[in-house]
Amino acid sequence: MPANIGISVSKDNENQMLALPANYVDAVREAGGVPWLLPTFAPGSVDEELVGLYVDRLDGLLLSGGPDLAPRYFGEEPHRDLGQVSPERDAIELLLARAALERDLPVLAICRGIQVLNVAAGGTLYQDVSSQVEGAIQHRQLAPRWHASHGVVVDNDSHVGRIFRTRESCLMVNSFHHQAVREPAPGFVISARSADDVVEAIEGTEHSFAIGVQWHPEMMVEHSTAMLAPFRALVAAAGRYHRRDDASC
Ligand code: MN
């Protein structure tokens, strides 16, 4: 069952290197998928046609974590506490997300990815949770990357709830973000929140598999096999997408 999963990467401007934490690749592989890295390009040299050449070869898309999304994409000026942004990543990932949603290509979006997915589909973000959400808990943990630092209440009837199959509706997750989904995009619903009401997962209601999580399951896999579930679900959806493609030939 081919499941070619494209993974977006970061641009390290200082060293002119493309970079991706290896645990994304390992989680996709462990889930049975074939990981492919999707590069960023020089500003202005990426367009829908180029993105289409990549997306046409994929069975699934994984939008990885990284820096902040530029607020102009959801119609705001930069908040004083906006962090580092990556114009190269914004350019290609917003196009990748839109191309995937148009084709109903399965998408799993992690951390920065949930923000890209939401904005690509027309939603908005908090630029800085700690200053924009009253009573916000700590979402930038100082504990090790695999440590589950806060709880999220998951809607058990949601796609995300079925993937994680949580009893008691509460799932412990890690947290390395300071942006978060503010208004979910049209066609998307919230499927998990933390105790301070910050959105921790969204899903597309009009898509077979369009899921965003604010935490980093790929960092938790080594200590919690349950966190492999979203990667297994992505690979399974990618297999179905691939077969649907075959059937239409
Ligand atoms: Mn969090």
Side-chain angles (χ1 to χ4, degrees), residues 62-66 69 93-94 97 107-121 123-125 160 177 179-185 188-192 198-203 210-215:
L62 173 51
L63 294 170
S64 63
L69 199 73
E93 288 184 312
L94 288 166
V107 190
L108 175 62
I110 292 177
C111 201
R112 169 187 161 87
I114 185 178
Q115 294 150 16
V116 169
L117 180 65
N118 190 50
V119 170
T124 63
L125 305 179
V160 170
H177 60 106
Q179 293 196 318
V181 169
R182 189 171 198 158
E183 287 294 327
F188 279 75
V189 293
I190 297 165
S191 30
V198 164
V199 175
E200 290 274 344
I202 59 168
E203 59 191 60
I211 284 173
V213 294
Q214 190 62 72
W215 65 95

Side-chain angles (χ1 to χ4, degrees), residues 18-70:
L18 301 179
L20 179 75
N23 45 24
Y24 288 103
V25 171
D26 291 333
V28 168
R29 188 64 207 124
E30 199 175 334
V34 182
W36 297 90
L37 303 197
L38 307 174
T40 65
F41 295 89
S45 66
V46 59
D47 57 19
E48 279 177 24
E49 193 185 345
L50 178 62
V51 165
L53 294 174
Y54 283 92
V55 172
D56 286 346
R57 290 172 173 269
L58 297 177
D59 305 309
L61 175 65
L62 173 51
L63 294 170
S64 63
D68 288 358
L69 199 73

Side-chain angles (χ1 to χ4, degrees), residues 4-5 12-13 30 38-39 50 59 64 73 101-102 105 117 121 177 194 220 225-226 244 248:
N4 295 309
I5 309 294
D12 171 354
N13 282 323
E30 199 175 334
L38 307 174
L50 178 62
D59 305 309
S64 63
Y73 292 111
L101 292 172
E102 266 170 32
L105 179 79
L117 180 65
H177 60 106
S194 44
M220 302 178 74
T225 51
R244 186 190 70 174
S248 68

